[in-house]
Amino acid sequence: MELAQLRQLFAEKFQQQPTVVTASPGRINLIGEHTDYNHGFVLPAAIQFKVCVLLAPNVTGSIRMYSASHQQSFETIGSAHLQASDLQWPNYILGVIEQLQKQHPVINGIDLLIAGDVPVGAGVSSSAALECATVFALNEHFNFGHSKLEMVQMAQAAENEFVGVKCGIMDQFASMFGKAGHVIKLDCDSLEYEYFPFDAAGLEIVLLDTQVKHSLASSEYNTRRKECETGFGILQSNFASVKTFRDVTEDMLQQCKDSMGEKVYNRCLYVVQENARLAAACDDLLANNLASFGQRMFGTHHGLSKLYEVSCAELDFIADACQQQPAVIGARMMGGGFGGCVIALVKAGEVDHLLAAIAPAYQQQFGVAMGVHRVAIGDGTRRIV
Ligand code: GAF
């Protein structure tokens, strides 16, 4: 929807004009999956798909929302003691408002319209995009003066506390800090970050969508997080030198294997290997060795599927099929898992050929059409009006 149409829709729903309009993108992640909440590194980038938030104060004392994507309205009773909604999408907004209200009780009556083109359930973090667009719009409207990092942390806290998904910081950080033409190497422990130019010349970044919505992901996600905490606790009680997962070697892990048990050991092994893979992948980028980078992506998929066990038959099918195709430099499942997309780096001009090779087989195997999203790396959260 164009901005003019969104403004018109806002006027129809709320009988006034918005004071602020923001846009915040979805994200991809090239490598470094399930490492953010394990104090590791990640390598995400913002993409061109975005969520827009239009906002204005109202005098009702309630928070009123309309989602153009869902064609649904939602309204709170008052604006204190916010209650979660069964509709789900309002919760990302309510969670952000709850975080802001801890410091700014001034937020009471607000009208919000949300719209966008970030595919939902595809693992490109439409939720972080919505949280970041909301916190940015409120920060602008009220002139709270929060930094981007503070807004990222509030958006993450909204998801952890109000939505109940104990996610790490990657998605909100990538959405807020994205920069066209660059990936972000983020140290999820110190929160230091560096932009790496990502020269996609000669390459296309394609998301191959299983169409499996990752509905199981939130409970399994929290379970993975707990398993890693259990493993890490055992490592720390055995090795005084271990402050974060980055201090852990495979040899240390091996020594703790019996006390951890197979499952927790495998989760930790994946994390240790993925941290090493990401460091090596950054060296590949600096050396402009994309072939080697791509091989590491396949390695990540294998680890996520076999050790971390967050893949599914559909993701494995697509990742395996990609590995057989010479046009694909690297591919792997992306995001929390259990559905969503495989991210593939494909030689420019070869995408149609790749799709012709994979899509019919996918349809035959699973009885659904594989989706495709061609992505470009774009800028982070911004004010439009
Ligand atoms: C989800 C979470 F929100 C992120 O924090 C991250 O852990 C990711 O899964 C897995 O890398 O997108």
Side-chain angles (χ1 to χ4, degrees):
M1 265 179 148
E2 296 301 317
L3 181 59
Q5 288 171 292
L6 290 176
R7 293 181 82 117
Q8 195 182 341
L9 188 56
F10 191 93
E12 272 169 33
K13 296 289 168 194
F14 304 117
Q15 291 73 52
Q16 60 168 337
Q17 284 296 323
T19 56
V20 174
V21 182
T22 55
S24 197
R27 63 99 190 90
I28 52 171
N29 183 27
L30 289 186
I31 201 160
E33 212 67 88
H34 287 274
T35 43
D36 59 352
Y37 55 85
N38 283 312
H39 303 271
F41 290 86
V42 290
L43 203 63
I47 56 177
Q48 81 276 23
F49 300 122
K50 57 191 186 307
V51 170
C52 292
V53 165
L54 292 77
L55 173 151
N58 69 42
V59 290
T60 67
S62 306
I63 295 155
R64 306 189 298 189
M65 311 172 192
Y66 181 75
S67 164
S69 321
H70 298 87
Q71 300 194 344
Q72 283 172 341
S73 296
F74 177 78
E75 183 171 348
T76 60
I77 303 165
S79 54
H81 314 297
L82 299 172
Q83 303 292 316
S85 157
D86 291 341
L87 296 179
Q88 295 304 328
W89 61 265
N91 295 337
Y92 302 103
I93 297 172
L94 296 174
V96 163
I97 292 177
E98 183 187 68
Q99 289 301 319
L100 281 165
Q101 281 177 332
K102 289 181 186 176
Q103 297 177 57
H104 310 289
V106 63
I107 305 177
N108 39 58
I110 297 284
D111 290 337
L112 296 115
L113 173 74
I114 64 168
D117 58 0
V118 185
V120 174
V124 289
S125 212
S126 55
S127 52
L130 176 54
E131 290 153 3
C132 289
T134 303
V135 72
F136 205 91
L138 288 162
N139 191 52
E140 288 288 309
H141 173 79
F142 287 104
N143 278 315
F144 290 143
H146 289 296
S147 68
K148 281 187 173 185
L149 183 58
E150 285 168 345
M151 290 191 272
V152 164
Q153 288 168 324
M154 281 188 263
Q156 183 198 8
E159 186 135 350
N160 288 175
E161 293 169 22
F162 200 87
V163 181
V165 178
K166 305 286 176 210
C167 66
I169 201 165
M170 169 172 76
D171 298 353
Q172 292 80 6
F173 198 99
S175 187
M176 185 70 76
F177 282 88
K179 183 171 167 178
H182 293 76
V183 294
I184 309 169
K185 183 184 178 192
L186 171 64
D187 177 335
C188 300
D189 196 36
S190 67
L191 299 182
E192 282 169 8
Y193 64 99
E194 216 181 322
Y195 290 110
F196 267 59
F198 185 76
D199 184 5
L203 276 186
E204 287 188 52
I205 306 172
V206 185
L207 304 180
L208 302 169
D209 194 335
T210 59
Q211 306 285 359
V212 178
K213 302 297 172 202
H214 56 122
S215 54
L216 257 182
S218 46
S219 60
E220 284 295 324
Y221 185 94
N222 292 350
T223 306
R224 291 299 172 283
R225 196 170 172 151
K226 280 214 184 81
E227 288 163 349
C228 289
E229 281 164 12
T230 304
F232 185 70
I234 294 171
L235 283 157
Q236 268 200 316
S237 57
N238 280 275
F239 300 99
S241 61
V242 169
K243 301 280 176 280
T244 76
F245 254 115
R246 317 171 184 182
D247 307 318
V248 179
T249 62
E250 288 193 31
D251 185 49
M252 288 170 167
L253 258 180
Q254 187 63 41
Q255 291 179 48
C256 296
K257 187 171 179 179
D258 287 346
S259 34
M260 282 182 184
E262 185 86 9
K263 194 193 270 181
V264 170
Y265 169 81
N266 283 344
R267 308 299 191 237
C268 295
L269 180 60
Y270 165 77
V271 172
V272 169
Q273 291 182 341
E274 182 69 352
N275 276 338
R277 251 190 308 264
L278 186 138
C282 287
D283 292 341
D284 292 338
L285 278 189
L286 288 173
N288 208 17
N289 188 350
L290 286 171
S292 172
F293 187 96
Q295 286 308 309
R296 297 190 205 282
M297 292 174 74
F298 288 122
T300 294
H301 184 83
H302 188 265
L304 286 167
S305 176
K306 304 291 180 270
L307 297 175
Y308 217 67
E309 297 184 282
V310 289
S311 188
C312 61
E314 291 86 347
L315 285 166
D316 286 348
F317 183 94
I318 296 175
D320 290 349
C322 283
Q323 200 157 8
Q324 323 270 317
Q325 297 293 322
V328 181
I329 287 168
R332 62 176 195 81
M333 58 147 283
M334 191 182 72
F338 303 100
C341 292
V342 165
I343 177 171
L345 302 183
V346 186
K347 289 180 188 155
E350 304 266 352
V351 174
D352 288 340
H353 177 244
L354 172 73
L355 297 178
I358 298 183
Y362 185 82
Q363 168 96 44
Q364 194 179 1
Q365 179 80 13
F366 298 105
V368 274
M370 185 183 77
V372 181
H373 315 282
R374 294 174 191 232
V375 298
I377 296 181
D379 284 321
T381 313
R382 58 216 174 254
R383 181 171 181 170
I384 298 177
V385 172

